[in-house]
């Protein structure tokens, strides 16, 4: 059983079970990790070449971070591609490299993944009612299934910085349509935080690595913290203990 499965229970309360007393209202408005499936749609090399609203390197890194998160916390992950043998190109390989549990659903030419019966069947069979979706392009490959899933009664989140559009205008109009339909825009960092919820867990260091992927500057924060503790440890070793720390040096991650 994964750490995540021990921390959260499918009781609809979305509360943390880590042996610490938490507010009973905490988590009520957040994504419930026990009711969630991740959908990564059409992250294909041909489509990447026309992404203009985000740097492709950032898009790929954020998408990989989401896939790694799914693997770390045993989150169901479904992937698909639009005509991968054509100009849209193959899926980025990083997804299946970091998340070998991902289920690939082939399509038969449908632009909208929700038009594919096998894809929808695969989603339904997870038993989850919350969908986290990212893909390329946002205004087509993400928006079409997001709107259809929302209309079918799913709670739908779209990870904007793990998705990409041909222009800033396309991205802005897509965001407007999402909000009008009740689809919730979010970010890689926010999704990671919502499913993470507490540093009081044994996989804290692995989660910290994901934050460094979504926010590379956070790596510098961790490095500075670690170095400062190393210097203080050296001082105390040479001169004897002078202070009592309020934090442990075990993980820089737990300072977040």
């Amino acid at each position: 059983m994964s750490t995540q499965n021990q921390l959260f229970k499918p009781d609809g309360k979305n509360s943390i079970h880590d042996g610490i007393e938490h507010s009973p209202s905490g988590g009520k408005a957040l994504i419930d990790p026990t009711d969630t499936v991740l959908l990564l749609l059409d992250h294909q090399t041909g489509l990447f070449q026309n992404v203009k609203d985000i740097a492709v390197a950032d898009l790929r890194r954020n998408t990989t971070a989401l896939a790694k998160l799914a693997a770390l916390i045993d989150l169901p992950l479904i992937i698909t591609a639009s005509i991968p043998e054509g100009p849209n190109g193959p899926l980025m390989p990083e997804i299946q490299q970091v998340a070998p549990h991902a289920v690939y659903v082939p399509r038969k030419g449908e632009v909208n993944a929700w038009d594919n019966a096998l894809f929808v069947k695969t989603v339904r069979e997870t038993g989850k009612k919350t969908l986290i979706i990212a893909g390329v392009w946002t205004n087509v490959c993400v928006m079409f299934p997001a709107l259809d899933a929302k209309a079918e009664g799913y709670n739908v989140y779209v990870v904007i910085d793990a998705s990409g559009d041909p222009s800033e205008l396309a991205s802005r109009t897509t965001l407007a349509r999402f909000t009008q339909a009740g689809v919730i825009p979010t970010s890689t960092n926010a999704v990671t935080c919502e499913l993470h919820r507490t540093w009081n867990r044994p996989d804290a260091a692995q989660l910290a690595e994901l934050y460094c992927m979504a926010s590379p500057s956070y790596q510098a924060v961790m490095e500075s913290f670690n170095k400062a503790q190393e210097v203080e440890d050296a001082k105390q070793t040479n001169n004897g203990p002078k202070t009592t720390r309020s934090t442990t040096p075990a993980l820089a991650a737990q300072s977040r």
Side-chain angles (χ1 to χ4, degrees):
M1 179 179 291
S2 73
T3 299
Q4 194 81 354
N5 290 337
Q6 297 173 46
L7 284 171
F8 300 96
K9 302 182 185 303
D11 54 11
K13 297 179 180 179
N14 200 19
S15 54
I16 306 170
H17 299 271
D18 59 359
I20 296 173
E21 182 179 0
H22 297 283
S23 166
S25 60
K28 295 289 187 183
L30 303 181
I31 298 171
D32 182 351
T34 69
D35 187 44
T36 298
V37 57
L38 175 63
L39 309 180
L40 298 180
L41 312 178
D42 304 350
H43 287 92
Q44 297 168 250
T45 57
L47 295 176
F48 283 155
Q49 295 178 48
N50 203 31
V51 168
K52 304 301 181 183
D53 65 326
I54 183 174
V56 172
D58 294 339
L59 168 57
R60 293 183 76 139
R61 186 180 62 249
N62 291 333
T63 302
T64 303
L66 289 175
K68 290 187 74 169
L69 175 65
L72 179 63
I73 66 174
D74 289 340
L75 196 72
L77 169 56
I78 300 171
I79 59 178
T80 187
S82 171
I83 318 180
E85 67 277 7
N88 287 355
L91 282 170
M92 54 181 279
E94 298 96 313
I95 296 174
Q96 288 169 300
Q97 288 170 357
V98 302
H101 76 297
V103 175
Y104 175 74
V105 178
R107 304 212 300 275
K108 300 177 179 179
E110 303 95 338
V111 172
N112 178 4
W114 212 261
D115 278 331
N116 182 278
L118 179 59
F119 182 84
V120 176
K121 179 176 181 288
T122 304
V123 173
R124 288 173 179 161
E125 286 178 346
T126 67
K128 314 296 184 180
K129 294 298 291 181
T130 299
L131 309 183
I132 298 173
I133 307 178
V136 181
W137 294 327
T138 319
N139 70 336
V140 179
C141 306
V142 176
M143 185 172 69
F144 293 180
L147 295 179
D148 278 344
K150 181 64 180 177
E152 197 167 315
Y154 286 89
N155 302 312
V156 182
Y157 294 76
V158 170
V159 189
I160 299 300
D161 63 357
S163 306
D165 257 330
S167 69
E168 291 282 355
L169 178 61
S171 183
R172 290 197 299 269
T173 57
T174 302
L175 274 171
R177 192 165 178 187
F178 281 153
T179 54
Q180 289 171 346
V183 172
I184 303 170
T186 187
S187 67
T188 301
N189 194 65
V191 167
T192 305
C193 286
E194 284 192 63
L195 298 178
H196 167 187
R197 297 281 297 284
T198 176
W199 286 113
N200 187 36
R201 50 191 299 162
D203 56 1
Q206 293 166 285
L207 284 159
E209 291 176 2
L210 298 182
Y211 289 116
C212 293
M213 293 181 70
S215 180
S217 297
Y218 189 55
Q219 179 73 44
V221 175
M222 292 177 60
E223 290 168 353
S224 298
F225 178 85
N226 283 332
K227 188 61 178 179
Q229 290 201 322
E230 288 174 10
V231 171
E232 182 62 25
D233 286 343
K235 288 180 180 179
Q236 294 196 12
T237 298
N238 294 331
N239 303 322
K242 294 181 179 179
T243 59
T244 301
R245 296 187 184 184
S246 60
T247 58
T248 65
L251 288 173
Q254 292 179 349
S255 68
R256 183 174 172 90

